[in-house]
């Protein structure tokens, strides 16, 4: 996630490995790939599920194994594809040439809209869509039709914090930015790094969190911002609520609230520093819980999560990232279509959620109605789920608008390092966005 879609590709939660076992379906004699070889020698209908070669494969494999074990008529086999732009191009090519796998895992939100769902995907039946969480359905809908089911859990952007430090200093979880700064000042006085920042190496993407995780507050202040932003009617530099994220970066630096080694520190180091109490707060995605759990398993329950606060405690809420979706291409027909529908019906059940939980620690709630989390999930997961339960969440801007400039992380680093003030950094980003929107061919740019 170190390109222009940094936070988007981080949805896969793990770094991208090399291409492994990619099996391209082909079109023969005018028949779509989905109609070939419906049944194997054992009478089962075999279908392929295409997933990215990161966490998507892990969770998809867990789902496939559980589904295969739950019945005897269908066998799901998982294929892998690259992540990032290479993976995006592969998905679009296979859809346009009717050579897509029988079912595939892909992004939700604005990136989902870019694969032209009305043309290439099959809408789902009401018995499946009725089980989707209300917050998820818009992310896989085009017009009145719904095209995908969630796989994995939602996650949120905000502040990971060290609970023992908060308890020792008798701090309360802040619900306004001023309270956050006041907490940070007390933490600094105690000789602890108040706000962890990690701009080292390829982890400059982490600098974006104070801007991206602030979108709930932007949307509260200006409910039409996402649409106006897409239509080139508003800018970050000239919209006070949107500019605030850049100002927060500048303020943290000017007040000396970040770790001294911020310019060289890595994401993994920042998570460890948070876990061991060297630092107290880290603007981050809850999905990075998996890295923290891997490197500091004995400290996971010491870490909590709170939303990036804004100006009004009454509107305090979290910016959230939707899980990916499973989709059926129109090239899937006949017995294979019936088999895939059974898979998707299974995917919105508690047994499917349980199988996914065993494969990867949930980092937020499942987006399936009635699908409960295991009782022993980490505190971060419980904290994120509480925002969903309260209804105080807003999808990240990337789920509402296709506009995201490729160099946001660089401008955030500048604002967070004192290289540029917030106004200049935001203006540079607005210029960056203009180039990207023009490349997408959006109207009004």
């Amino acid at each position: 996630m170190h390109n222009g879609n940094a936070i988007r590709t981080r949805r896969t939660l793990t770094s991208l490995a090399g291409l492994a076992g990619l099996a391209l379906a082909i079109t023969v004699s005018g028949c779509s790939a989905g109609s070939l070889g419906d049944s194997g020698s054992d009478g089962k209908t075999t279908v392929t599920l295409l997933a990215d070669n990161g966490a998507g494969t892990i969770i998809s494999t867990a789902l496939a194994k559980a589904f295969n074990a739950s019945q005897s008529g269908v066998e799901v086999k998982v294929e892998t594809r690259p992540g990032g732009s290479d993976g995006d191009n592969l998905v679009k090519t296979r859809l346009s040439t009717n050579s897509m796998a029988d079912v595939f895992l892909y992004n939700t939100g604005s990136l989902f809209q870019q694969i032209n769902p009305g043309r290439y995907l099959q809408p789902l039946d009401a018995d499946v869509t009725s089980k989707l969480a209300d917050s998820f359905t818009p992310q896989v809908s085009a017009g009145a039709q719904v095209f995908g089911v969630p796989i994995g859990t939602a996650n949120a952007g905000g502040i990971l914090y060290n609970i023992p430090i908060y308890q020792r200093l008798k701090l309360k979880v802040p619900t306004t930015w001023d309270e956050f700064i006041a907490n940070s000042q007390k933490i600094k006085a105690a000789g602890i790094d108040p706000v962890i920042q990690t701009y080292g190496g390829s982890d400059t993407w982490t600098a974006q969190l104070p801007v991206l995780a602030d979108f709930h507050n932007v949307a509260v202040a200006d409910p039409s911002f996402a649409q106006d932003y897409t239509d080139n009617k508003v800018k970050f530099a000239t919209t006070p609520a949107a500019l605030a994220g850049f100002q927060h970066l500048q303020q943290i630096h000017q007040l000396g609230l970040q770790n001294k080694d911020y310019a060289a520190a890595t994401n993994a180091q920042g998570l460890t520093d948070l876990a061991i109490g060297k630092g107290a707060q880290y603007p981050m995605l809850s999905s990075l819980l998996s890295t923290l759990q891997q490197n500091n398993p004995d400290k996971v329950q010491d870490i909590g999560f709170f939303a990036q606060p804004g100006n009004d405690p009454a509107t305090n809420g979290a910016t959230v990232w939707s899980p990916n979706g499973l989709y059926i291409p129109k090239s899937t027909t006949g017995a294979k279509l019936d088999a895939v529908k059974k898979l998707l019906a299974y995917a919105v059940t508690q047994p499917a959620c349980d199988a996914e939980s065993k494969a990867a620690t949930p980092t937020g709630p499942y987006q399936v109605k009635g699908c409960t989390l295991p009782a022993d999930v980490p505190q971060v997961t419980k904290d994120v789920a509480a925002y969903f339960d309260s209804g105080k969440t807003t999808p990240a801007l990337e789920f509402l608008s296709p506009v995201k400039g490729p160099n946001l992380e660089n401008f955030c680093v500048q604002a967070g390092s004192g290289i540029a003030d917030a106004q200049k950094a935001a203006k540079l980003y607005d210029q960056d966005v203009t180039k990207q929107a023009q490349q997408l061919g959006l109207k009004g740019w």
Side-chain angles (χ1 to χ4, degrees):
M1 157 175 107
H2 312 306
N3 55 23
N5 293 324
I7 297 296
R8 290 171 177 165
T9 54
R10 178 59 69 171
R11 294 179 199 170
T12 60
L13 315 188
T14 58
S15 59
L16 298 171
L19 176 59
L22 179 63
L24 294 175
I26 58 173
T27 302
V28 178
S29 302
C31 297
S32 71
S35 65
L36 299 176
D38 286 350
S39 297
S41 58
D42 57 0
K44 289 185 177 181
T45 300
T46 301
V47 297
T48 55
L49 189 166
L50 182 66
D52 65 88
N53 59 0
T57 293
I58 296 172
I59 300 177
S60 297
T61 299
L63 174 65
K65 287 183 177 179
F67 173 70
N68 290 344
S70 73
Q71 47 73 53
S72 59
V74 180
E75 182 178 8
V76 179
K77 294 184 177 180
V78 177
E79 299 177 350
T80 59
R81 64 165 176 82
S85 58
D86 288 344
D88 285 346
N89 291 334
L90 177 64
V91 167
K92 292 172 183 176
T93 298
R94 293 185 69 173
L95 285 172
S96 65
T97 57
N98 289 325
S99 61
M100 178 50 80
D102 303 304
V103 60
F104 67 102
L105 182 67
Y106 194 64
N107 296 297
T108 50
S110 63
L111 291 182
F112 154 76
Q113 299 293 343
Q114 291 181 26
I115 61 174
N116 199 345
R119 179 175 180 180
Y120 292 117
L121 304 183
Q122 309 217 27
L124 304 183
D125 299 330
D127 60 335
V128 171
T129 61
S130 63
K131 297 181 181 180
L132 305 182
D134 294 340
S135 58
F136 179 79
T137 300
Q139 306 307 326
V140 291
S141 298
Q145 295 180 314
V146 183
F147 293 91
V149 301
I151 183 166
T153 61
N155 74 99
I159 314 295
L160 298 178
Y161 74 103
N162 186 292
I163 297 172
I165 291 175
Y166 259 60
Q167 292 175 336
R168 187 166 72 250
L169 299 181
K170 298 180 180 180
L171 303 176
K172 294 182 180 180
V173 169
T175 56
T176 68
W177 184 256
D178 286 345
E179 290 174 354
F180 175 77
I181 293 298
N183 281 356
S184 298
Q185 296 281 25
K186 293 176 182 177
I187 293 166
K188 182 179 181 180
I192 301 167
D193 292 333
V195 183
I196 298 170
Q197 292 287 265
T198 52
Y199 303 165
S202 59
D203 287 340
T204 49
W205 66 267
T206 64
Q208 299 173 91
L209 263 299
V211 172
L212 298 182
D214 202 41
F215 185 69
H216 171 79
N217 300 315
V218 177
V220 166
D222 185 356
S224 64
F225 181 87
Q227 187 60 54
D228 289 344
Y229 178 66
T230 303
D231 296 338
N232 196 22
K233 295 179 180 178
V234 295
K235 299 290 186 182
F236 271 81
T238 54
T239 304
L243 178 62
F246 290 95
Q247 292 173 328
H248 294 337
L249 281 163
Q250 178 180 340
Q251 183 182 22
I252 289 168
H253 176 76
Q254 287 182 334
L255 295 178
L257 298 178
Q258 60 199 26
N259 46 308
K260 292 181 180 179
D261 63 345
Y262 69 91
T266 63
N267 178 229
Q269 180 184 335
L271 290 166
T272 293
D273 287 351
L274 179 70
I276 65 176
K278 186 175 183 292
Q281 304 166 125
Y282 189 13
M284 188 42 55
L285 294 166
S286 67
S287 60
L288 270 293
L289 176 65
S290 56
T291 301
L292 191 151
Q293 189 172 42
Q294 179 180 349
N295 295 341
N296 302 92
D298 59 328
K299 299 292 186 180
V300 171
Q301 293 297 351
D302 285 348
I303 307 304
F305 172 89
F306 59 83
Q308 182 165 312
N311 297 323
D312 184 356
T315 59
N316 181 244
T319 302
V320 298
W321 275 255
S322 173
N324 286 331
L326 283 175
Y327 307 101
I328 309 174
K330 285 188 175 178
S331 54
T332 300
T333 58
K336 285 189 176 257
L337 176 58
D338 294 337
V340 170
K341 285 185 176 181
K342 291 178 181 177
L343 170 65
L344 267 57
Y346 179 81
V348 291
T349 65
Q350 186 69 53
C353 295
D354 290 342
E356 293 172 21
S357 293
K358 291 179 181 178
T361 301
T363 58
Y366 283 99
Q367 296 293 275
V368 175
K369 291 178 181 177
C371 209
T372 59
L373 291 165
D376 60 349
V377 293
Q379 187 60 43
V380 167
T381 308
K382 295 177 181 178
D383 290 343
V384 172
Y387 285 100
F388 279 87
D389 291 342
S390 70
K392 294 184 177 181
T393 63
T394 298
L397 180 57
E398 67 193 57
F399 291 96
L400 304 174
S401 172
V403 181
K404 186 175 189 294
N407 295 303
L408 174 59
E409 62 191 67
N410 298 327
F411 305 130
C412 289
V413 167
Q414 290 182 28
S417 302
I419 298 171
D421 63 23
Q423 187 72 44
K424 181 178 180 181
K427 188 173 182 180
L428 288 170
Y429 181 54
D430 287 334
Q431 295 170 357
D432 192 46
V433 160
T434 298
K435 296 175 184 177
Q436 192 257 5
Q438 290 173 345
Q439 289 175 352
L440 289 176
L442 298 180
K443 294 180 180 180
W445 293 84

